[in-house]
Structures are given as C-alpha cells and as structure tokens.
C-alpha cells in the first residue's frame, strides 16, 4: 500500500441507525493490481481477525447462519454482479454459492487498512465450476464498513461490503432481489424477517469512480 493510501482519510457515519447504503466507500484505484501480498498484511485484533476469517469462509462456499449474522439486518453487499441491500438478500447470495460452484478456494489475502470503522483487504479467490472442468482466479479489493455500535465488540458486524474487482467504481447492479425468494433453503428463510422496505433507499447512481468525492486511491 502506498503512502497516499495510508494517509487518505475515509469518513464513515458514526450513527448505526442509518441504513447500510450510507456506509459505502467510493474508491478509485490508480492501478488494476489487486494481487495480495500476505507478508505485508496489517495485523488485526482477535475479534476483527475472527470477522475476517468468517468473511473468507463465506467466500469459500462455507456459509452458516452465524457467519451471515456478521452483517447487520440493513447491510449492503455490492460487487460487479450482485447488489444485495438487506441481510435476507445477502443470505440468499452466500447460501447459493455452494450450489453454483464445486469449490471456492482462498489463495491469499492482504489487509491493507484497519481503521476504526473500515477494514480493507486484497483478496485472491479461485472458483471451480461444477464438474471441475474449469476454474477462474479473481483478485479483488474488499472493503468492510463496520457497524459503529459493534466495531469494537467481540462480534463486529458489517454495514457495507464492497468487492471491487478492478480499478473502476461504477453504479450498482445485480440479481440479488430474485435469488433469495427462489431458493428452497431453511437457512435463507431464517433471515426473511430482514427483508424490510423501511430501511431500503434508492440505489445510488454514479457515472464513474470519479463521480463522488469520497474515494480511495492507491
């Protein structure tokens, strides 16, 4: 991580009552290099390391209800394919992964930022498709905006999870609205009470990663 990245200030809300949409980190990388170097990883407290371990396990097709509880009910998950703006939709995504992939293996990660309300890490994940005939490795920058009320607790939770697989940061899109409702899963239905409209907000629209002042550069 460059000196510029380490000195850049990221302002996140301190009010946990705000919906997850308010906790997005807008970011524009000056390089597409998302390859992690574990030797440079910033150490985390035991509680935050357990959070990161649970997030990596979710990426690795090992979902459990307790791991999904790492997110607040009004959380947002945001990547190039999925935009899920509550924990019910989030649960549908994580519990669907083992059905969509034969395996997902974490190759390495590097924590590059550990702020009071933000953990960022570079992640390398290899996804193997059904039948094992093809796999793909994806490098990404993952930003976990933490819930202010639990950030320093033994069980920190995530308000906004952004997975950025390239140097761009465009508007949000995705199919998560239809995944949870189409799954026959008791684990997903466990979180159905989180599918509430009262904390949903309009999806923010941006032309590009430079369209908002709150951004992170590398």
């Amino acid at each position: 991580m460059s000196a510029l990245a380490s000195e850049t200030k990221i302002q996140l809300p301190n009010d946990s009552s705000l919906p997850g949409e308010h906790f997005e980190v807008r970011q524009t990388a000056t390089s597409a290099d998302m390859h992690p170097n574990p030797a440079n990883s910033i150490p985390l407290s035991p509680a935050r390391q357990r959070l990161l371990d649970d997030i990596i396990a979710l990426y690795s097709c090992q979902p459990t209800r307790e791991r999904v509880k790492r997110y607040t009910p009004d959380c947002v998950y945001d990547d190039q394919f999925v935009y899920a703006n509550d924990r019910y939709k989030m649960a549908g995504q994580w519990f669907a992964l083992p059905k969509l992939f034969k395996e997902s293996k974490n190759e390495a990660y590097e924590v590059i930022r550990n702020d009071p309300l933000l953990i960022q890490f570079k992640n390398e994940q290899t996804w193997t498709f059904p039948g094992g005939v093809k796999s793909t490795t994806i490098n990404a920058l993952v930003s976990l905006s933490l819930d202010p009320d639990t950030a320093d607790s033994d069980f920190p939770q995530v308000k906004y999870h952004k997975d950025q697989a390239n140097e761009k940061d465009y508007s949000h899109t995705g199919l998560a609205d239809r995944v949870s409702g189409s799954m026959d899963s008791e684990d997903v239905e466990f979180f159905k009470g989180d599918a509430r409209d009262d904390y949903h907000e309009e999806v923010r629209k941006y032309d590009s990663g430079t369209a908002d002042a709150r951004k992170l550069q590398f």
Side-chain angles (χ1 to χ4, degrees):
M1 182 174 57
S2 69
L4 176 61
S6 63
E7 293 172 2
T8 303
K9 300 297 184 182
I10 302 297
Q11 299 297 325
L12 291 170
N14 288 308
D15 185 356
S16 288
S17 68
L18 292 172
E21 285 91 343
H22 289 257
F23 292 80
E24 180 189 7
V25 175
R26 293 297 295 174
Q27 56 205 12
T28 301
T30 58
S31 169
D33 181 16
M34 306 291 187
H35 190 80
N37 183 353
N40 293 335
S41 190
I42 298 172
L44 300 173
S45 68
R48 291 192 172 199
Q49 184 61 54
R50 288 192 295 271
L51 166 64
L52 184 55
D53 291 343
D54 281 341
I55 299 298
I56 295 297
L58 287 169
Y59 272 108
S60 302
C61 293
Q62 301 170 31
T64 66
R65 294 181 186 180
E66 196 68 11
R67 286 170 177 157
V68 174
K69 288 179 182 178
R70 283 297 190 176
Y71 299 90
T72 61
D74 61 338
C75 66
V76 173
Y77 178 93
D78 179 12
D79 68 17
Q80 59 186 339
F81 303 113
V82 173
Y83 184 79
N85 59 349
D86 62 46
R87 194 164 59 182
Y88 176 55
K89 297 175 186 177
M90 173 88 69
Q93 171 198 293
W94 289 127
F95 282 104
L97 286 184
K99 303 177 185 299
L100 298 174
F101 296 94
K102 178 183 179 181
E103 182 184 25
S104 175
K105 179 183 178 183
N106 184 259
E107 305 291 355
Y109 67 82
E110 175 193 351
V111 178
I112 64 169
R113 194 178 195 104
N114 181 25
D115 290 352
L117 295 179
L118 179 64
I119 299 172
Q120 288 185 315
F121 63 99
K122 293 182 179 181
N123 192 47
E124 182 170 296
Q125 201 79 18
T126 297
W127 303 86
T128 302
F129 295 93
V133 296
K134 185 178 180 180
S135 63
T136 184
T137 298
I138 297 177
N139 293 290
L141 173 65
V142 179
S143 300
L144 305 176
S145 299
L146 303 181
D147 169 37
D149 283 354
T150 63
D152 296 322
S153 72
D154 288 336
F155 196 81
Q157 291 178 293
V158 177
K159 276 278 196 176
Y160 202 110
H161 179 147
K162 171 171 279 188
D163 184 312
Q164 183 186 7
N166 57 48
E167 74 276 20
K168 303 298 182 182
D169 195 9
Y170 296 116
S171 288
H172 317 297
T173 186
L175 304 175
D177 282 343
R178 297 193 287 274
V179 174
S180 298
S182 64
M183 290 186 64
D184 182 15
S185 167
E186 292 183 0
D187 290 313
V188 174
E189 289 303 299
F190 179 84
F191 295 97
K192 192 169 185 178
D194 296 330
R196 294 163 38 199
D197 290 331
D198 56 328
Y199 47 54
H200 288 166
E201 295 195 354
E202 291 296 323
V203 176
R204 284 142 171 78
K205 298 295 184 181
Y206 305 98
D207 293 328
S208 72
T210 61
D212 189 270
R214 192 169 64 200
K215 57 184 181 293
L216 180 64
Q217 295 190 351
F218 293 84

